């Protein structure tokens, strides 16, 4: 122990109560970049507070931390959403005896130590109480898993679930997500794109959908604005802290979003700058939060295409609005259509149809969901096509097969056979009006 | 026989040599409306001349014709493309002994007698030599099955195959069809539609494709015109006779089509007027003749959508060009995209890709194909998805799975499994460059 170099550990000791889950999650949302699955796994396995305490220990004494880790790594799970990372849980089997799980443990220890290296610089002067005070002054709320307002749909992100959400405006995000559509697109949009966005966003807002977007110039701003005009709530996910309503030109618009029953949301704390990687990570939140994602205009390589891709990965319906083939601003949308990655949508009715049937069970009071293991039980074991068909099923009145197929973005034949399989599993039933979902008993 | 009423049979006796297949087919193309599957079956079963002779007999003595028919109806086939109509061929089995095939025979006799009732009025003054002289004066050619110029792809129409084609311009339709794209759309097109049509048609013409269309105002005219400007041949299928280049405003354009290596084609003889039903039947010829069909602009209910539907039924790839959702002229295209009935195409490259892989084996000298039974053997037993995948396979250099999927308009997963099944059947093979067709040995 004598050869251990002296470290400036005093300034790193937590100045706040790390046993407070809310404070600890606020701290982690500053320490870890959005989408840091190692941090999520650590928080899920140990709890946010103990994870933070462990991180402090690890920074104070890396050698000891490594030894502890190797000793405790017997308990690293080799499967499940936090595989290869955990510090608790059952000892993994190694029936083959070939050392495969030993190798997996070594890799997970290495990943965790790399995490410590990433996180350590951000421990200096860490005090989430300060950021929470900033949020409070702005009338905001920190929403964490377990809160009634936590949007359960984010659980579909698995190990990329956000650790906490910094919210200005309505903290009941679950209610806002329950019936929602993301309307996204190019910053450099055309008058055509702005016009169509207005028609679609105001139309779906009038039908009771929350319009979700990214608060950017162009299509995003047109979507928020049209929703506000229709009196519907709208939610903007920002890449930076909610204290700075970015971009500056949209400050008044975003303030109106906050003051009209909607919310401006970020997973990074006040004071955080919007970086390129944060923009991309922000897109996953839009995709996961919303019942469906519609791209109105997008250039060939556009960030909004990443939102569409994430939505597809999450089995959310994706729509694309066509435009003139002579317009560069529509090339990304046409690419989605051509690749079969999006359904062609041309008005609010079609967008509502796309999103309507996927009303997620994310109402206030839903059980807390935070990690990746919380996908609803009736989903378990469904393949991609079955999941899409199930998602597309209405809860009450039945829908004919072709409507389910259209809504799910499936060929009618595929939808038909998937519905048959869902029926066999007791997840779907035929009524006079068509197919509907069976709620698990 | 004494009670048989005297009929004005003298004027109905054929004034030409009905044993001349060409003359008899020319006559039938006047007697029967386009798409009259009873006439096609009769011509296929008996030959055009004997069928005509039988029709004369039947008109002269309907009671005797019915008796003959009932006696001969033992030979009506109950399956195959001419089921329930034929007057020759093997005696059908009736193993159940429940009279099912007797019923089928009764129905087929009834259908045939209804056909006689339709056809009889057109026997008065029938003389196809007159119409052939008109065609000859216009420099045209009658093309019938068995001619080297006969486009074999039309065989896919089955019992709706045309009995003969009246052609002005190049009689080598098989060569024109071999690498061809139909570019069709609304008469009431917009400047946008006209512009995009020009880009696409000139682009595919420059790549060696024959541009096929309907000779109408709007998109059709723009397609023919752009092909001519690019120096490529273009083919116009008319709903009326080729003596009247309809519509009048396109006379100069259609004359240029004839004089520039292309052709103006109709299945009805000179002097025939274009009727609504003939326009719809004409669309099936465009769909069957062409390697792919692209709709550039179409209103919600547009005739060009019927061309797209026919093309889909014939397993031909269909493309639709998107446009502004604010334009009524694009609603039909968006409908096709939304229904998954068309691939989104935005330029000549994408159209060429759509059509290129389906180059039909319709070169001059292909074996005569006329009825519905001539679908190539290696097609037999393939399901819809397999057929589309097979159609999309290149003959020489291989194509990667995703290119095949795109070309076939299939999901990649579906294309992959279909290709696997085709491989098992020896119809497709993997090469270094990807998948290609195996020609049956």
């Amino acid at each position: 122990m004598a050869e251990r170099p002296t470290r400036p550990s005093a300034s790193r000791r937590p100045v706040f109560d790390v046993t407070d889950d809310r404070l600890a999650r606020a701290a982690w949302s500053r320490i870890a970049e959005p989408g840091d699955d190692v941090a999520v796994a650590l928080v899920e396995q140990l709890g946010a507070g103990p994870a933070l305490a462990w991180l402090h220990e690890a920074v104070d004494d890396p050698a000891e931390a490594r030894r502890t880790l190797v000793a405790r790594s017997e308990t690293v799970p080799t499967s499940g959403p936090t595989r290869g990372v955990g510090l608790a849980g059952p000892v993994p089997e190694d029936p083959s005896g070939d050392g495969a799980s030993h190798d997996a443990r070594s890799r997970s220890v290495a990943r965790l130590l790399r995490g410590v290296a990433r996180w350590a610089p951000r421990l200096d002067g860490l005090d989430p109480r300060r950021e929470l005070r900033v949020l409070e002054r702005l009338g905001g709320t920190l929403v964490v898993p377990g809160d009634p307002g936590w949007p359960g749909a984010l659980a579909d992100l698995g190990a990329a679930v956000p650790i906490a959400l910094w919210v200005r405006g309505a903290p009941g995000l679950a209610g806002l997500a329950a019936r929602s559509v993301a309307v996204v697109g190019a910053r450099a949009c055309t008058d055509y794109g702005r016009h169509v966005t207005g028609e679609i966003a105001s139309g779906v807002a009038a039908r009771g959908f929350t319009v979700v977007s990214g608060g950017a110039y162009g299509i995003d701003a047109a979507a928020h604005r049209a929703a506000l005009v229709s009196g519907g709530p709208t939610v903007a996910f920002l890449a930076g802290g909610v204290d700075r309503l970015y971009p500056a030109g949209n400050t008044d618009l975003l303030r109106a979003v906050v003051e009209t029953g909607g919310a401006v949301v970020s997973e990074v704390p006040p004071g955080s700058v919007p970086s390129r990687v944060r923009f991309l990570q922000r897109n996953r939140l839009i995709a996961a939060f919303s019942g469906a994602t519609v791209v109105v205009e997008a250039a060939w390589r556009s960030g909004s295409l990443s939102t569409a891709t994430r939505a597809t990965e999450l089995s959310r319906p994706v729509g694309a609005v066509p435009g003139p083939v002579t317009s560069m601003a529509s090339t990304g949308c046409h690419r989605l259509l051509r690749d079969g990655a999006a359904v062609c949508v041309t008005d609010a009715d079609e967008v509502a149809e796309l999103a309507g049937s996927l009303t997620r069970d994310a109402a206030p009071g839903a059980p807390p969901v935070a990690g990746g293991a919380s996908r609803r039980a009736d989903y378990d074991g469904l393949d991609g096509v079955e999941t899409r068909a199930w998602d597309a099923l209405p809860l009450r009145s039945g829908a004919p097969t072709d409507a389910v197929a259209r809504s799910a973005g499936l060929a009618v034949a595929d939808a038909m056979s998937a519905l048959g399989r869902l029926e066999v599993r007791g997840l779907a039933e035929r009524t006079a009006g068509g197919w509907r979902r069976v709620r698990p008993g």
Side-chain angles (χ1 to χ4, degrees), chain A:
Chain A
M1 297 293 272
E3 66 276 26
R4 175 157 65 86
T6 311
R7 299 180 62 90
S9 60
S11 70
R12 294 172 184 262
R13 302 312 310 167
V15 296
F16 58 96
D17 177 9
V18 297
T19 65
D20 180 326
D21 181 65
R22 192 168 222 82
L23 276 179
R25 283 187 174 267
W28 272 109
S29 79
R30 180 180 180 84
I31 295 167
E33 274 297 306
D36 184 333
D37 56 352
V38 181
V40 169
L42 193 67
V43 167
E44 292 298 310
Q45 298 270 333
L46 301 185
L52 196 57
W54 177 87
L55 174 60
H56 276 285
E57 280 170 32
V59 170
D60 283 348
D61 190 345
E64 177 62 22
R66 174 185 277 274
R67 275 191 295 274
T68 311
L69 208 53
V70 171
R72 294 170 77 179
S73 70
E74 290 300 320
T75 62
V76 174
T78 54
S79 66
T82 57
R83 67 178 175 283
V85 189
L87 296 164
V91 177
E93 303 285 337
D94 186 6
S96 64
D98 62 0
S101 56
H102 179 263
D103 286 354
R105 281 197 299 274
S106 301
R107 278 196 300 278
S108 77
V109 166
R111 285 182 76 211
L112 201 42
L113 290 175
R114 282 198 301 276
V116 169
R118 281 198 301 277
W119 305 323
R122 294 194 175 164
L123 290 178
D124 282 317
L126 178 71
D127 186 357
R129 293 173 302 180
R130 201 170 47 229
E131 284 137 354
L132 283 167
R133 274 195 300 272
V134 172
L135 184 67
E136 198 177 332
R137 272 201 301 276
L138 295 167
T141 316
L142 187 78
V143 179
V144 301
D147 288 344
W150 180 259
L154 297 184
D156 289 347
L157 287 168
V161 72
I163 294 173
L165 293 175
W166 302 77
V167 182
R168 279 177 75 175
L173 296 180
L176 290 169
R179 187 172 164 84
S180 59
V181 186
V183 179
V184 300
R187 270 177 279 271
C189 73
T190 67
D191 284 346
Y192 165 74
R194 204 173 286 115
H195 168 77
V196 177
T197 303
E199 294 288 312
I200 287 177
S202 62
V204 296
R207 284 166 183 77
F209 286 88
T210 303
V211 172
V212 183
S213 197
Y217 292 131
I219 300 298
D220 288 16
H224 292 304
R225 195 168 284 123
L228 291 176
V229 168
S230 286
T234 175
V235 173
F237 280 91
L238 301 190
V242 293
D243 55 327
R244 47 184 84 181
L245 296 177
Y246 180 92
N250 283 348
T251 303
D252 289 347
L253 173 65
L254 292 168
R255 194 163 286 140
V257 168
V258 168
E259 290 163 358
T260 325
V264 170
V265 184
S266 177
E267 63 180 314
V268 292
S272 306
V273 297
S275 65
R276 186 176 151 69
V277 70
R278 286 179 183 165
F279 274 112
L280 286 172
Q281 291 293 340
R282 182 273 313 266
N283 291 346
R284 88 188 193 288
L285 298 186
I286 294 175
F289 183 89
S290 309
T293 292
V294 170
V295 185
V296 182
E297 279 191 324
W300 188 254
R301 294 178 188 284
S302 164
S304 21
L305 297 183
S306 88
T307 311
T309 303
R310 301 309 295 260
T312 299
E313 288 166 359
L314 293 163
S315 300
R316 306 283 196 274
V318 175
V321 175
V325 299
T326 47
S327 165
M328 293 309 290
S330 286
T331 51
C333 290
H334 296 155
R335 182 184 193 175
L336 290 172
L337 292 174
R338 200 166 149 67
D339 293 347
V343 174
C344 177
V345 287
T346 66
D347 61 19
D349 277 334
E350 292 174 357
V351 172
E353 186 187 322
L354 188 77
S357 51
L358 200 121
T359 306
R360 297 230 143 216
D361 188 17
V369 277
S374 47
R375 207 169 174 88
R376 280 194 297 281
D378 45 353
Y379 255 115
D380 286 342
L382 298 188
D383 70 20
V385 170
E386 289 160 353
T387 303
R388 283 168 71 176
W390 189 86
D391 272 335
L393 283 178
L395 292 171
R396 288 176 202 87
S397 58
T401 306
D402 60 344
V404 175
R406 196 160 51 236
S407 182
L410 293 171
V412 173
D414 291 344
M416 208 176 292
S417 70
L419 288 169
R421 296 195 297 276
L422 291 172
E423 187 180 33
V424 167
R425 300 175 68 140
L427 296 174
E429 64 185 347
R430 284 178 231 245
T431 66
W435 290 94
R436 73 176 175 198
R437 212 180 270 184
V438 177
R439 308 294 304 179

